[in-house]
Amino acid sequence: MKSCPYAVTRGSAVRAVRYGQCGMGGAVWAVQTISMELGTLVVDPGTGHDTTITVVQVATDRDTFTRLDLSRVEARATLDHLRAGVSKNPHDLVPVAHSRGVRG
């Protein structure tokens, strides 16, 4: 197995592992971990510049995610189960505390 670099797309990171070759020499990749930050774009009243307020941070590995029965979960309970960082007051745009960070 060979790990590939992280692919980052607007606040999410995915780590995949190459398992072998298929067809026309293309690699077979499987996602192993995923992390994401969810937030909202606001205008900072102090600077007038656009800024993003992160209200949820979550990361998990493939095994943990595939064990979830997504048709029966409740969003907040699942975030707690995955030890996600969640804003104490998202309605007032209080950002999530970054002190702990998230790891997949």
Side-chain angles (χ1 to χ4, degrees), residues 61-77:
D61 59 64
R62 178 187 189 95
D63 292 335
T64 301
F65 185 79
T66 57
R67 284 193 302 265
L68 298 174
D69 183 349
L70 296 178
S71 67
R72 301 176 71 185
V73 300
E74 294 179 21
R76 183 57 201 235

Side-chain angles (χ1 to χ4, degrees), residues 57-103:
Q57 290 178 320
V58 64
T60 191
D61 59 64
R62 178 187 189 95
D63 292 335
T64 301
F65 185 79
T66 57
R67 284 193 302 265
L68 298 174
D69 183 349
L70 296 178
S71 67
R72 301 176 71 185
V73 300
E74 294 179 21
R76 183 57 201 235
T78 302
L79 291 172
D80 290 343
H81 173 74
L82 296 174
R83 295 181 308 233
V86 179
S87 168
K88 301 260 188 237
N89 191 346
H91 297 290
D92 286 335
L93 301 178
V94 174
V96 68
H98 293 284
S99 60
R100 206 179 60 167
V102 294
R103 302 261 188 261

Side-chain angles (χ1 to χ4, degrees), residues 8-61:
V8 178
T9 308
R10 290 203 72 147
S12 64
V14 176
R15 186 177 71 84
V17 176
R18 184 170 66 185
Y19 282 99
Q21 301 295 322
C22 70
M24 306 283 283
V28 176
W29 294 90
V31 172
Q32 294 299 304
T33 61
I34 186 167
S35 65
M36 53 187 352
E37 293 183 346
L38 306 172
T40 186
L41 186 64
V42 298
V43 175
D44 184 324
T47 66
H49 296 165
D50 291 338
T51 187
T52 301
I53 304 293
T54 302
V55 293
V56 177
Q57 290 178 320
V58 64
T60 191
D61 59 64

